[in-house]
Amino acid sequence: MVRIANLITNKRLLDKVHDIRRELFALATTDKLTGCHNRHSLMEFSDKFISQALRHKYPVSMLVIDLDHFKAINDNHGHAVGDIVLELTGKLLNDSFREGDLVSRYGGEEFVVLMTHCNGEDARLKAESLRLAIEDLKPNGLSITTSIGVSSMEVGVERDFEAMFHAGDEGVYKAKENGRNQVVYVGLD
């Protein structure tokens, strides 16, 4: 009886340790405000994400998403409203992508999404759909827009996270230069 009681106690403790480990992992990899992966998590998982695509020969696309005029939102409406904008944008992003995609808050008002099994054309269509959804979001009654840079590593092209991010970030800058609230695709050389 004592042995059985000890086994039951040990099992309960082990279950508790596993639950705590899961909670700690979630805390370490998730941005608390948006519920998206954090930048550290993105950097940790992106190499594995891309290497799997290369090994199994499927396309991967990246969206670099930057909320337009976010500093003005914080300046004119306060950081609490800015936080609401980020929180609702993060929820929209998490709800808009598949479970296998990696949705991350890169920093400030910038998000990065890695999409598995997604070619450039599909990524552009998804980005345009997302741009419209963000425009319709109206967090706290505010009109917000976004500039999105898209890059894609098609089958047969070998690039790393940095190359994809550089291309996506270039797309964001071009979108902003061209008036904001648009999607710009930048191919990988």
Side-chain angles (χ1 to χ4, degrees):
M1 292 302 267
V2 171
R3 185 181 290 168
I4 291 172
N6 284 340
L7 288 172
I8 291 171
T9 300
N10 285 339
K11 172 67 172 127
R12 286 182 181 151
L13 288 172
L14 188 60
D15 289 345
K16 212 176 238 186
V17 167
H18 286 296
D19 290 344
I20 291 170
R21 193 182 254 168
R22 265 191 294 267
E23 287 176 35
L24 288 173
F25 180 78
L27 285 172
T29 60
T30 304
D31 177 69
K32 187 175 181 180
L33 179 63
T34 63
C36 299
H37 284 269
N38 60 28
R39 183 177 183 160
H40 175 76
S41 177
L42 172 68
M43 302 315 285
E44 179 82 20
F45 298 126
S46 61
D47 287 340
K48 182 178 179 185
F49 195 95
I50 291 171
S51 67
Q52 285 179 342
L54 290 170
R55 185 179 320 113
H56 298 292
K57 296 180 178 24
Y58 58 79
V60 171
S61 292
M62 178 185 289
L63 306 183
V64 179
I65 303 157
D66 193 272
L67 299 178
D68 296 329
H69 304 293
F70 185 75
K71 184 179 181 325
I73 292 170
N74 277 338
D75 290 347
N76 297 330
H77 302 281
H79 289 278
V81 172
D83 284 352
I84 291 169
V85 170
L86 292 172
E87 181 181 358
L88 293 177
T89 300
K91 181 174 179 4
L92 173 70
L93 291 173
N94 279 324
D95 291 345
S96 297
F97 291 92
R98 301 166 297 179
E99 189 175 321
D101 297 335
L102 186 61
V103 179
S104 308
R105 181 177 178 199
Y106 193 73
E109 73 280 4
E110 193 169 44
F111 296 85
V112 173
V113 180
L114 277 169
M115 298 176 293
T116 183
H117 297 281
C118 183
N119 63 35
E121 183 58 29
D122 290 341
R124 281 190 287 252
L125 292 171
K126 182 65 177 177
E128 183 58 30
S129 169
L130 184 63
R131 186 193 66 77
L132 292 170
I134 289 173
E135 201 171 21
D136 289 341
L137 193 58
K138 306 278 190 253
N140 219 51
L142 295 174
S143 294
I144 61 169
T145 59
T146 189
S147 298
I148 303 175
V150 180
S151 65
S152 184
M153 185 179 73
E154 303 294 341
V155 175
V157 174
E158 290 194 25
R159 296 292 185 272
D160 60 7
F161 173 84
E162 292 303 322
M164 290 186 74
F165 181 79
H166 179 73
D169 203 37
E170 185 181 331
V172 168
Y173 281 105
K174 286 181 179 178
K176 289 185 180 293
E177 286 174 1
N178 293 332
R180 302 179 192 271
N181 194 27
Q182 57 188 276
V183 173
V184 174
Y185 178 84
V186 175
L188 295 171
D189 297 331

